[in-house]
PDB file of all heavy atoms in Angstrom:
ATOM      1  N   PHE X  57       0.504 -16.843  10.802  1.00 95.00           N
ATOM      2  CA  PHE X  57       0.133 -16.909   9.392  1.00 95.00           C
ATOM      3  C   PHE X  57       0.943 -18.004   8.693  1.00 95.00           C
ATOM      4  O   PHE X  57       1.994 -17.735   8.116  1.00 95.00           O
ATOM      5  CB  PHE X  57       0.379 -15.568   8.694  1.00 95.00           C
ATOM      6  CG  PHE X  57      -0.371 -14.422   9.296  1.00 95.00           C
ATOM      7  CD1 PHE X  57       0.304 -13.421   9.980  1.00 95.00           C
ATOM      8  CD2 PHE X  57      -1.748 -14.336   9.183  1.00 95.00           C
ATOM      9  CE1 PHE X  57      -0.383 -12.357  10.542  1.00 95.00           C
ATOM     10  CE2 PHE X  57      -2.447 -13.280   9.750  1.00 95.00           C
ATOM     11  CZ  PHE X  57      -1.767 -12.284  10.430  1.00 95.00           C
ATOM     12  N   PRO X  58       0.470 -19.243   8.743  1.00 94.00           N
ATOM     13  CA  PRO X  58       1.190 -20.341   8.083  1.00 94.00           C
ATOM     14  C   PRO X  58       1.308 -20.158   6.572  1.00 94.00           C
ATOM     15  O   PRO X  58       2.221 -20.682   5.946  1.00 94.00           O
ATOM     16  CB  PRO X  58       0.343 -21.572   8.415  1.00 94.00           C
ATOM     17  CG  PRO X  58      -0.412 -21.194   9.649  1.00 94.00           C
ATOM     18  CD  PRO X  58      -0.687 -19.724   9.502  1.00 94.00           C
ATOM     19  N   THR X  59       0.366 -19.411   5.982  1.00 96.00           N
ATOM     20  CA  THR X  59       0.412 -19.160   4.537  1.00 96.00           C
ATOM     21  C   THR X  59       0.471 -17.667   4.277  1.00 96.00           C
ATOM     22  O   THR X  59       0.031 -16.851   5.107  1.00 96.00           O
ATOM     23  CB  THR X  59      -0.822 -19.736   3.824  1.00 96.00           C
ATOM     24  OG1 THR X  59      -1.994 -18.999   4.217  1.00 96.00           O
ATOM     25  CG2 THR X  59      -1.019 -21.214   4.174  1.00 96.00           C
ATOM     26  N   ILE X  60       0.992 -17.320   3.107  1.00 97.00           N
ATOM     27  CA  ILE X  60       1.040 -15.909   2.716  1.00 97.00           C
ATOM     28  C   ILE X  60      -0.376 -15.379   2.512  1.00 97.00           C
ATOM     29  O   ILE X  60      -0.674 -14.227   2.824  1.00 97.00           O
ATOM     30  CB  ILE X  60       1.863 -15.730   1.422  1.00 97.00           C
ATOM     31  CG1 ILE X  60       3.281 -16.253   1.618  1.00 97.00           C
ATOM     32  CG2 ILE X  60       1.907 -14.260   1.006  1.00 97.00           C
ATOM     33  CD1 ILE X  60       4.127 -16.266   0.360  1.00 97.00           C
ATOM     34  N   LEU X  61      -1.258 -16.239   2.003  1.00 97.00           N
ATOM     35  CA  LEU X  61      -2.638 -15.831   1.743  1.00 97.00           C
ATOM     36  C   LEU X  61      -3.309 -15.327   3.019  1.00 97.00           C
ATOM     37  O   LEU X  61      -4.046 -14.338   2.988  1.00 97.00           O
ATOM     38  CB  LEU X  61      -3.426 -17.003   1.160  1.00 97.00           C
ATOM     39  CG  LEU X  61      -4.889 -16.716   0.800  1.00 97.00           C
ATOM     40  CD1 LEU X  61      -4.963 -15.717  -0.349  1.00 97.00           C
ATOM     41  CD2 LEU X  61      -5.622 -17.998   0.430  1.00 97.00           C
ATOM     42  N   GLN X  62      -3.046 -15.996   4.142  1.00 97.00           N
ATOM     43  CA  GLN X  62      -3.651 -15.572   5.406  1.00 97.00           C
ATOM     44  C   GLN X  62      -3.162 -14.184   5.811  1.00 97.00           C
ATOM     45  O   GLN X  62      -3.943 -13.368   6.308  1.00 97.00           O
ATOM     46  CB  GLN X  62      -3.336 -16.594   6.499  1.00 97.00           C
ATOM     47  CG  GLN X  62      -4.075 -17.918   6.320  1.00 97.00           C
ATOM     48  CD  GLN X  62      -3.610 -18.971   7.308  1.00 97.00           C
ATOM     49  OE1 GLN X  62      -2.415 -19.160   7.515  1.00 97.00           O
ATOM     50  NE2 GLN X  62      -4.559 -19.658   7.924  1.00 97.00           N
ATOM     51  N   ALA X  63      -1.886 -13.919   5.601  1.00 97.00           N
ATOM     52  CA  ALA X  63      -1.358 -12.583   5.894  1.00 97.00           C
ATOM     53  C   ALA X  63      -1.945 -11.563   4.923  1.00 97.00           C
ATOM     54  O   ALA X  63      -2.265 -10.427   5.308  1.00 97.00           O
ATOM     55  CB  ALA X  63       0.164 -12.588   5.806  1.00 97.00           C
ATOM     56  N   HIS X  64      -2.091 -11.956   3.673  1.00 97.00           N
ATOM     57  CA  HIS X  64      -2.642 -11.072   2.647  1.00 97.00           C
ATOM     58  C   HIS X  64      -4.092 -10.696   2.952  1.00 97.00           C
ATOM     59  O   HIS X  64      -4.504  -9.559   2.720  1.00 97.00           O
ATOM     60  CB  HIS X  64      -2.559 -11.763   1.285  1.00 97.00           C
ATOM     61  CG  HIS X  64      -3.269 -11.041   0.184  1.00 97.00           C
ATOM     62  ND1 HIS X  64      -2.803  -9.856  -0.353  1.00 97.00           N
ATOM     63  CD2 HIS X  64      -4.427 -11.318  -0.481  1.00 97.00           C
ATOM     64  CE1 HIS X  64      -3.623  -9.439  -1.289  1.00 97.00           C
ATOM     65  NE2 HIS X  64      -4.620 -10.302  -1.385  1.00 97.00           N
ATOM     66  N   GLU X  65      -4.854 -11.654   3.476  1.00 96.00           N
ATOM     67  CA  GLU X  65      -6.274 -11.432   3.717  1.00 96.00           C
ATOM     68  C   GLU X  65      -6.581 -10.892   5.114  1.00 96.00           C
ATOM     69  O   GLU X  65      -7.747 -10.676   5.446  1.00 96.00           O
ATOM     70  CB  GLU X  65      -7.046 -12.741   3.489  1.00 96.00           C
ATOM     71  CG  GLU X  65      -7.041 -13.195   2.032  1.00 96.00           C
ATOM     72  CD  GLU X  65      -7.844 -14.461   1.805  1.00 96.00           C
ATOM     73  OE1 GLU X  65      -8.062 -15.209   2.792  1.00 96.00           O
ATOM     74  OE2 GLU X  65      -8.262 -14.705   0.659  1.00 96.00           O
ATOM     75  N   ALA X  66      -5.543 -10.690   5.921  1.00 94.00           N
ATOM     76  CA  ALA X  66      -5.772 -10.120   7.252  1.00 94.00           C
ATOM     77  C   ALA X  66      -6.448  -8.754   7.113  1.00 94.00           C
ATOM     78  O   ALA X  66      -6.048  -7.934   6.284  1.00 94.00           O
ATOM     79  CB  ALA X  66      -4.450  -9.991   8.005  1.00 94.00           C
ATOM     80  N   SER X  67      -7.469  -8.526   7.884  1.00 91.00           N
ATOM     81  CA  SER X  67      -8.269  -7.304   7.725  1.00 91.00           C
ATOM     82  C   SER X  67      -7.598  -6.085   8.344  1.00 91.00           C
ATOM     83  O   SER X  67      -6.894  -6.183   9.352  1.00 91.00           O
ATOM     84  CB  SER X  67      -9.653  -7.501   8.356  1.00 91.00           C
ATOM     85  OG  SER X  67      -9.541  -7.746   9.748  1.00 91.00           O
ATOM     86  N   LYS X  68      -7.817  -4.956   7.702  1.00 92.00           N
ATOM     87  CA  LYS X  68      -7.391  -3.640   8.190  1.00 92.00           C
ATOM     88  C   LYS X  68      -5.879  -3.524   8.379  1.00 92.00           C
ATOM     89  O   LYS X  68      -5.419  -2.805   9.274  1.00 92.00           O
ATOM     90  CB  LYS X  68      -8.115  -3.295   9.497  1.00 92.00           C
ATOM     91  CG  LYS X  68      -9.625  -3.193   9.361  1.00 92.00           C
ATOM     92  CD  LYS X  68     -10.275  -2.811  10.667  1.00 92.00           C
ATOM     93  CE  LYS X  68     -11.783  -2.709  10.516  1.00 92.00           C
ATOM     94  NZ  LYS X  68     -12.456  -2.334  11.789  1.00 92.00           N
ATOM     95  N   ILE X  69      -5.113  -4.207   7.531  1.00 95.00           N
ATOM     96  CA  ILE X  69      -3.659  -4.102   7.603  1.00 95.00           C
ATOM     97  C   ILE X  69      -3.179  -3.216   6.455  1.00 95.00           C
ATOM     98  O   ILE X  69      -3.380  -3.561   5.286  1.00 95.00           O
ATOM     99  CB  ILE X  69      -2.982  -5.489   7.516  1.00 95.00           C
ATOM    100  CG1 ILE X  69      -3.568  -6.425   8.562  1.00 95.00           C
ATOM    101  CG2 ILE X  69      -1.474  -5.348   7.682  1.00 95.00           C
ATOM    102  CD1 ILE X  69      -3.433  -5.939   9.986  1.00 95.00           C
ATOM    103  N   PRO X  70      -2.562  -2.077   6.735  1.00 96.00           N
ATOM    104  CA  PRO X  70      -2.107  -1.186   5.666  1.00 96.00           C
ATOM    105  C   PRO X  70      -0.943  -1.781   4.894  1.00 96.00           C
ATOM    106  O   PRO X  70      -0.204  -2.631   5.401  1.00 96.00           O
ATOM    107  CB  PRO X  70      -1.679   0.076   6.419  1.00 96.00           C
ATOM    108  CG  PRO X  70      -1.300  -0.423   7.777  1.00 96.00           C
ATOM    109  CD  PRO X  70      -2.238  -1.558   8.072  1.00 96.00           C
ATOM    110  N   ALA X  71      -0.793  -1.349   3.653  1.00 97.00           N
ATOM    111  CA  ALA X  71       0.360  -1.728   2.848  1.00 97.00           C
ATOM    112  C   ALA X  71       1.481  -0.715   3.086  1.00 97.00           C
ATOM    113  O   ALA X  71       1.263   0.347   3.675  1.00 97.00           O
ATOM    114  CB  ALA X  71      -0.023  -1.753   1.365  1.00 97.00           C
ATOM    115  N   ILE X  72       2.662  -1.060   2.608  1.00 97.00           N
ATOM    116  CA  ILE X  72       3.801  -0.153   2.770  1.00 97.00           C
ATOM    117  C   ILE X  72       3.499   1.189   2.106  1.00 97.00           C
ATOM    118  O   ILE X  72       3.823   2.251   2.646  1.00 97.00           O
ATOM    119  CB  ILE X  72       5.073  -0.783   2.167  1.00 97.00           C
ATOM    120  CG1 ILE X  72       5.431  -2.072   2.914  1.00 97.00           C
ATOM    121  CG2 ILE X  72       6.247   0.197   2.240  1.00 97.00           C
ATOM    122  CD1 ILE X  72       6.562  -2.865   2.280  1.00 97.00           C
ATOM    123  N   VAL X  73       2.858   1.141   0.939  1.00 97.00           N
ATOM    124  CA  VAL X  73       2.519   2.380   0.236  1.00 97.00           C
ATOM    125  C   VAL X  73       1.535   3.224   1.040  1.00 97.00           C
ATOM    126  O   VAL X  73       1.569   4.459   0.995  1.00 97.00           O
ATOM    127  CB  VAL X  73       1.956   2.084  -1.173  1.00 97.00           C
ATOM    128  CG1 VAL X  73       0.609   1.373  -1.108  1.00 97.00           C
ATOM    129  CG2 VAL X  73       1.833   3.357  -1.988  1.00 97.00           C
ATOM    130  N   HIS X  74       0.658   2.584   1.813  1.00 97.00           N
ATOM    131  CA  HIS X  74      -0.292   3.333   2.644  1.00 97.00           C
ATOM    132  C   HIS X  74       0.429   4.097   3.739  1.00 97.00           C
ATOM    133  O   HIS X  74       0.024   5.203   4.106  1.00 97.00           O
ATOM    134  CB  HIS X  74      -1.321   2.378   3.263  1.00 97.00           C
ATOM    135  CG  HIS X  74      -2.186   1.687   2.266  1.00 97.00           C
ATOM    136  ND1 HIS X  74      -2.711   0.425   2.453  1.00 97.00           N
ATOM    137  CD2 HIS X  74      -2.596   2.081   1.027  1.00 97.00           C
ATOM    138  CE1 HIS X  74      -3.424   0.080   1.396  1.00 97.00           C
ATOM    139  NE2 HIS X  74      -3.363   1.069   0.526  1.00 97.00           N
ATOM    140  N   VAL X  75       1.500   3.499   4.267  1.00 97.00           N
ATOM    141  CA  VAL X  75       2.303   4.188   5.291  1.00 97.00           C
ATOM    142  C   VAL X  75       2.924   5.453   4.684  1.00 97.00           C
ATOM    143  O   VAL X  75       2.927   6.521   5.305  1.00 97.00           O
ATOM    144  CB  VAL X  75       3.393   3.263   5.841  1.00 97.00           C
ATOM    145  CG1 VAL X  75       4.318   4.015   6.791  1.00 97.00           C
ATOM    146  CG2 VAL X  75       2.771   2.068   6.556  1.00 97.00           C
ATOM    147  N   ALA X  76       3.428   5.315   3.446  1.00 96.00           N
ATOM    148  CA  ALA X  76       4.012   6.472   2.762  1.00 96.00           C
ATOM    149  C   ALA X  76       2.968   7.546   2.515  1.00 96.00           C
ATOM    150  O   ALA X  76       3.249   8.748   2.646  1.00 96.00           O
ATOM    151  CB  ALA X  76       4.641   6.024   1.444  1.00 96.00           C
ATOM    152  N   GLN X  77       1.752   7.145   2.177  1.00 96.00           N
ATOM    153  CA  GLN X  77       0.685   8.108   1.901  1.00 96.00           C
ATOM    154  C   GLN X  77       0.175   8.757   3.183  1.00 96.00           C
ATOM    155  O   GLN X  77      -0.164   9.942   3.197  1.00 96.00           O
ATOM    156  CB  GLN X  77      -0.466   7.414   1.168  1.00 96.00           C
ATOM    157  CG  GLN X  77      -0.119   6.971  -0.244  1.00 96.00           C
ATOM    158  CD  GLN X  77      -1.206   6.120  -0.872  1.00 96.00           C
ATOM    159  OE1 GLN X  77      -2.156   5.714  -0.211  1.00 96.00           O
ATOM    160  NE2 GLN X  77      -1.058   5.824  -2.159  1.00 96.00           N
ATOM    161  N   ALA X  78       0.107   7.978   4.244  1.00 96.00           N
ATOM    162  CA  ALA X  78      -0.412   8.501   5.509  1.00 96.00           C
ATOM    163  C   ALA X  78       0.561   9.472   6.162  1.00 96.00           C
ATOM    164  O   ALA X  78       0.148  10.470   6.761  1.00 96.00           O
ATOM    165  CB  ALA X  78      -0.722   7.350   6.464  1.00 96.00           C
ATOM    166  N   TYR X  79       1.821   9.193   6.058  1.00 96.00           N
ATOM    167  CA  TYR X  79       2.851  10.027   6.699  1.00 96.00           C
ATOM    168  C   TYR X  79       3.746  10.643   5.621  1.00 96.00           C
ATOM    169  O   TYR X  79       3.452  11.691   5.091  1.00 96.00           O
ATOM    170  CB  TYR X  79       3.642   9.197   7.701  1.00 96.00           C
ATOM    171  CG  TYR X  79       2.746   8.465   8.690  1.00 96.00           C
ATOM    172  CD1 TYR X  79       2.687   7.074   8.720  1.00 96.00           C
ATOM    173  CD2 TYR X  79       1.926   9.166   9.576  1.00 96.00           C
ATOM    174  CE1 TYR X  79       1.854   6.406   9.616  1.00 96.00           C
ATOM    175  CE2 TYR X  79       1.091   8.519  10.469  1.00 96.00           C
ATOM    176  CZ  TYR X  79       1.057   7.126  10.479  1.00 96.00           C
ATOM    177  OH  TYR X  79       0.228   6.471  11.353  1.00 96.00           O
ATOM    178  N   ASP X  80       4.839   9.961   5.282  1.00 94.00           N
ATOM    179  CA  ASP X  80       5.663  10.389   4.149  1.00 94.00           C
ATOM    180  C   ASP X  80       6.582   9.233   3.756  1.00 94.00           C
ATOM    181  O   ASP X  80       6.599   8.193   4.412  1.00 94.00           O
ATOM    182  CB  ASP X  80       6.462  11.656   4.456  1.00 94.00           C
ATOM    183  CG  ASP X  80       7.373  11.503   5.667  1.00 94.00           C
ATOM    184  OD1 ASP X  80       8.056  10.464   5.777  1.00 94.00           O
ATOM    185  OD2 ASP X  80       7.413  12.419   6.505  1.00 94.00           O
TER     186      ASP X  80
END
Side-chain angles (χ1 to χ4, degrees):
F57 301 111
T59 68
I60 301 174
L61 182 66
Q62 289 173 314
H64 172 71
E65 293 182 339
S67 62
K68 298 182 180 180
I69 307 301
I72 297 172
V73 67
H74 296 149
V75 174
Q77 292 172 351
Y79 308 115
D80 58 45

